[in-house]
Amino acid sequence: KNEVEQSPQNLTAQEGEFITINCSYSVGISALHWLQQHPGGGIVSLFMLSSGKKKHGRLIATINIQEKHSSLHITASHPRDSAVYICAARGGGADGLTFGKGTHLIIQP
Amino acid sequence: DSGVTQTPKHLITATGQRVTLRCSPRSGDLSVYWYQQSLDQGLQFLIQYYNGEERAKGNILERFSAQQFPDLHSELNLSSLELGDSALYFCASSVGLMGYQETQYFGPGTRLLVL
């Protein structure tokens, strides 16, 4: 069974700061997902990556398959980035996704 | 808007009852996934259907069942409800059958409260 762990659990930062959220997993995978859950509850898929780095606007996701580690970075953070960020990877035998517990990010103006 | 729809948005019911949650995937997506999000367990994968067939099973209780119909919409049936079943239930869809390496598009969720 794949164990997916995220850090930190909670993060409060000032507007404009560079944010890093980490995700590690125990079993080798072919792809890792980063999701964003808004305060209202809706979930948006931010990235699905299997190697290297992907960038979308101010968001950057990286993955190191050998080290079983991924990071999500937010540059020039803004209060609208306040949300829960969740990483997920293949769970192992079930083929479904296993999720980290999420990082609750608050960006203060 | 992800293109995935779920009904109802909210559901309040009593212990022992049965409810049905409905999900319509994005146009063209053949896979539907059901997830449960509770305060203590976080997000958990329940079950996946691909083109009408069960594809993968996660932590789905025996009291829960699902199906995908020929028009690709899916229903999640929860029976003999317990207080602990109170949660947000999401469905997601993707084009193919390997959801762990495809982008999944999430619906807005159904918030279930069991009293």
Side-chain angles (χ1 to χ4, degrees), chain A residues 63-74:
Chain A
I63 190 167
N64 185 319
I65 294 287
Q66 287 72 33
E67 293 188 4
K68 298 187 178 67
H69 181 268
S70 176
S71 293
L72 176 69
H73 305 286
I74 305 175

Side-chain angles (χ1 to χ4, degrees), chain A residues 43-90:
Chain A
I43 294 177
V44 173
S45 178
L46 296 175
F47 296 102
M48 195 275 299
L49 67 165
S50 53
S51 66
K53 180 163 108 173
K54 281 192 177 179
K55 184 174 190 287
H56 185 249
R58 295 179 295 104
L59 300 179
I60 303 165
T62 63
I63 190 167
N64 185 319
I65 294 287
Q66 287 72 33
E67 293 188 4
K68 298 187 178 67
H69 181 268
S70 176
S71 293
L72 176 69
H73 305 286
I74 305 175
T75 62
S77 59
H78 189 276
R80 64 174 174 267
D81 297 325
S82 298
V84 177
Y85 293 84
I86 303 167
C87 68
R90 184 179 182 182

Side-chain angles (χ1 to χ4, degrees), chain A:
Chain A
K1 187 185 169 194
N2 207 352
E3 303 289 340
V4 178
E5 294 191 0
Q6 284 184 240
S7 63
Q9 275 190 306
N10 297 285
L11 179 56
T12 300
Q14 295 298 121
E15 183 173 355
E17 285 189 39
F18 181 81
I19 304 298
T20 295
I21 299 170
N22 296 298
C23 176
S24 61
Y25 49 92
S26 58
V27 175
I29 58 170
S30 54
L32 183 126
H33 300 249
W34 281 102
L35 310 173
Q36 179 192 54
Q37 186 166 27
H38 299 292
I43 294 177
V44 173
S45 178
L46 296 175
F47 296 102
M48 195 275 299
L49 67 165
S50 53
S51 66
K53 180 163 108 173
K54 281 192 177 179
K55 184 174 190 287
H56 185 249
R58 295 179 295 104
L59 300 179
I60 303 165
T62 63
I63 190 167
N64 185 319
I65 294 287
Q66 287 72 33
E67 293 188 4
K68 298 187 178 67
H69 181 268
S70 176
S71 293
L72 176 69
H73 305 286
I74 305 175
T75 62
S77 59
H78 189 276
R80 64 174 174 267
D81 297 325
S82 298
V84 177
Y85 293 84
I86 303 167
C87 68
R90 184 179 182 182
D95 282 358
L97 290 176
T98 291
F99 298 85
K101 293 198 185 304
T103 295
H104 189 190
L105 174 66
I106 297 173
I107 304 295
Q108 295 177 334

Side-chain angles (χ1 to χ4, degrees), chain A residues 30-31 33 35 37 40-43 45 48 86 90 94-97 99 101, chain B residues 35 37 43-45 55-58 88 90 99-104 106 111:
Chain A
S30 54
H33 300 249
L35 310 173
Q37 186 166 27
I43 294 177
S45 178
M48 195 275 299
I86 303 167
R90 184 179 182 182
D95 282 358
L97 290 176
F99 298 85
K101 293 198 185 304
Chain B
Y35 298 99
Q37 186 177 38
L43 264 169
Q44 290 193 95
F45 166 68
R55 166 69 185 167
K57 221 166 184 175
L88 257 175
F90 288 100
Y100 53 85
Q101 58 183 40
E102 288 186 302
T103 297
Q104 296 187 23
F106 285 76
R111 191 174 294 274

